[in-house]
Amino acid sequence: MARPLVLHPDRLLPADPTTRSIARALYDQVAKLPIVSPHGHTDPAWFATDAAFENATELLLKPDHYVFRMLYSQGVALESLGIGGGAVDPRAAWAIFAANYHLFRGTPTRLWLDWVFAEAFGLDVQFEAATAGHYYDAIGAALATPAFRPRALFDRFGIEVIATTESPLDTLDHHRAIRASGWGGRVITAYRPDAVVDPEFEGFAANLTRLSDLTGEDAFNYDGYLAAHRQRRAFFASMGATSTDHGHPTAATADLSPADAAALFTRVTGDAVTRPDAELFRAHMLTVMAGMSIDDGLVMQLHPGSFRNHNPSLFARFGRDKGADIPMATEYVHGLRPLLARYGNDPRLTLILFTLDETTYSRELAPLAGHYPALRLGPPWWFHDSPEGMHRFREQVTETAGFYNTAGFNDDTRAFMSIPARHDVARRIDCGFLARLVAEHQLEDWEAAELAVDLSYGLAKRAYKL
């Protein structure tokens, strides 16, 4: 007999009855607030074409590296899941997922997927090997209906705005199509220049050639290169962008003279770039991008500290973003100082900092954001977008930076169906944290109610100028 799937109404709220009661009252006030998703990686083509999602595997398994990295860690071949473009029966891949669903116990992925199964698709039995076919068929039948088209789900989930993330080399044709369609959903882009800022990015020289072609500037000349960035940033802003995003290996910044910067640019666009020059160029360009943000008003995000594509054989077979990115220790105090010395006191700049190194929360990030007007702290990211990760963030950051030097929550995902689940988890955890402060008489109940709305909705809107 299949075991029932039930989402407890008090899941993730504090265990103490008094605190739980306060948290429940706070959560009830924010549970249905609109979703502001200011940074993520959903495919704008979904909203441009509004085509039906194909099946459960294509929707929930293949796009989600949280899912297939766990399966891979237990010896499941990515080829058997259809990762990498090989021909695989999607029902067979789904059966493998179902047989291994127990691997996700205790992980946020389990929380997100159970929400999707129960709330989005109305499934009421546990996902396991015995119910794999039932799930696959039920989800497939739902996806064939108009109610499960991307735009209908966007509206059903209460999404007020969602930002995708594109390279400067993207022509944003899908965003044009969304605008031309007459649909009222707000889907905006964000400027992610890594492919033309990082000399170690694969195809860097070819990317600069493409940047030259798109802008009519000589992107192999330093002045032309900067002009090309300004032009593309203006184009992205005209297509709704309010932010840039920078996925650098470190948080190092530099502030070179124009002559030194031009000489460095000549070296990194040459035949053999050295690793120190590549790092120095990335560091300098973060400061340059901060200056451009002051000029054009785009909010700046920094996502450092990931060793990308750590598994070389996996990268060779499947390419980027296949679950083999690993957090690294990251230093901010010395790394950010050149940028902050030049622009950190300018309130026209908003620089939202993220980290995969939780040891920096109370030692570096909270004190920095608690001082510099330009800085805000992004929410727990990637490996720490989890109940315990959110608890650790609030406990280590709040006493020094407060709530209002943080940027609310963003889901940072390409797994569209999990977006409301992720926001729901964040709202429950934040309401639990606020409830404890009320129970301990550190906050009044009305202050906690205001904060619950800000943490769920208002802070992200303000930080990202939405």
Side-chain angles (χ1 to χ4, degrees), residues 110-131:
R110 169 68 179 269
L111 292 171
W112 302 330
L113 283 168
D114 279 357
W115 186 97
V116 171
F117 294 150
E119 294 292 328
F121 290 103
L123 291 158
D124 59 5
V125 294
Q126 290 280 344
F127 183 45
E128 55 190 343
T131 60

Side-chain angles (χ1 to χ4, degrees), residues 268-287:
V268 300
T269 54
D271 292 334
V273 61
T274 67
R275 180 155 292 178
D277 274 351
E279 175 69 348
L280 181 59
F281 185 71
R282 289 189 295 261
H284 174 67
M285 285 306 298
L286 281 178
T287 305

Side-chain angles (χ1 to χ4, degrees), residues 60-78 81 83 97 103-104 107 109 112 306-307 309-311 314 321-327 382-383:
L60 298 173
L61 196 167
K62 288 179 65 174
D64 195 340
H65 59 77
Y66 285 90
V67 172
F68 58 73
R69 79 184 304 272
M70 176 65 83
L71 299 176
Y72 183 79
S73 77
Q74 288 285 307
V76 176
L78 293 187
L81 304 174
I83 308 300
F97 181 24
L103 300 176
F104 296 92
T107 70
T109 301
W112 302 330
S306 176
F307 190 122
N309 310 305
H310 190 272
N311 186 331
L314 203 73
D321 302 323
K322 294 301 181 289
D325 300 336
I326 307 297
W382 203 341
F383 294 89

Side-chain angles (χ1 to χ4, degrees), residues 192-412:
R192 177 74 173 244
D194 299 0
V196 291
V197 162
D198 182 358
E200 295 182 309
F201 200 99
E202 57 266 27
F204 180 65
N207 294 341
L208 293 187
T209 298
R210 175 65 176 149
L211 183 63
S212 299
D213 292 342
L214 280 171
T215 62
E217 301 285 352
D218 180 4
F220 288 89
N221 169 277
Y222 184 61
D223 289 337
Y225 172 76
L226 297 182
H229 273 293
R230 293 190 186 96
Q231 185 185 134
R232 295 306 288 170
R233 288 170 65 106
F235 172 62
F236 272 59
S238 75
M239 298 300 292
T242 67
S243 67
T244 69
D245 183 39
H246 308 270
H248 289 206
T250 74
T253 65
D255 190 9
L256 304 179
S257 70
D260 286 344
L264 175 62
F265 183 73
T266 298
R267 296 199 299 274
V268 300
T269 54
D271 292 334
V273 61
T274 67
R275 180 155 292 178
D277 274 351
E279 175 69 348
L280 181 59
F281 185 71
R282 289 189 295 261
H284 174 67
M285 285 306 298
L286 281 178
T287 305
V288 169
M289 289 289 165
M292 290 186 184
S293 282
I294 288 175
D295 292 338
D296 61 25
L298 294 180
V299 173
M300 188 175 179
Q301 302 172 90
L302 177 59
H303 285 85
S306 176
F307 190 122
R308 306 276 176 171
N309 310 305
H310 190 272
N311 186 331
S313 65
L314 203 73
F315 178 64
R317 288 154 54 204
F318 299 103
R320 301 175 67 87
D321 302 323
K322 294 301 181 289
D325 300 336
I326 307 297
M328 300 185 295
T330 305
E331 194 278 334
Y332 294 85
V333 173
H334 297 287
L336 290 174
R337 193 162 188 263
L339 185 156
L340 294 175
R342 183 158 186 178
Y343 297 122
N345 300 297
D346 194 326
R348 294 175 298 171
L349 174 65
T350 298
L351 171 56
I352 301 175
L353 301 176
F354 293 80
T355 193
L356 292 174
D357 182 357
E358 293 183 309
T359 68
T360 63
Y361 281 154
S362 60
R363 185 182 66 245
E364 301 184 38
L365 290 173
L368 284 167
H371 173 72
Y372 282 99
L375 294 185
R376 296 292 181 267
L377 300 184
W381 166 48
W382 203 341
F383 294 89
H384 309 307
D385 180 10
S386 64
E388 294 302 323
M390 293 172 187
H391 279 299
R392 291 191 294 267
F393 175 80
R394 291 290 176 213
E395 288 170 353
Q396 295 184 56
V397 161
T398 304
E399 291 181 327
T400 301
F403 290 106
Y404 295 96
N405 283 316
T406 64
F409 179 71
N410 66 56
D411 47 78
D412 190 18

Side-chain angles (χ1 to χ4, degrees), residues 94-170:
W94 186 258
I96 294 171
F97 181 24
N100 288 280
Y101 194 55
H102 62 280
L103 300 176
F104 296 92
R105 290 170 180 165
T107 70
T109 301
R110 169 68 179 269
L111 292 171
W112 302 330
L113 283 168
D114 279 357
W115 186 97
V116 171
F117 294 150
E119 294 292 328
F121 290 103
L123 291 158
D124 59 5
V125 294
Q126 290 280 344
F127 183 45
E128 55 190 343
T131 60
H134 169 63
Y135 263 69
Y136 190 85
D137 292 336
I139 292 172
L143 294 179
T145 67
F148 281 81
R149 294 288 181 92
R151 294 180 185 179
L153 289 171
F154 185 103
D155 295 335
R156 175 182 168 187
F157 292 159
I159 298 175
E160 182 174 303
V161 56
I162 192 169
T164 65
T165 305
E166 276 76 46
S167 157
L169 308 179
D170 196 302

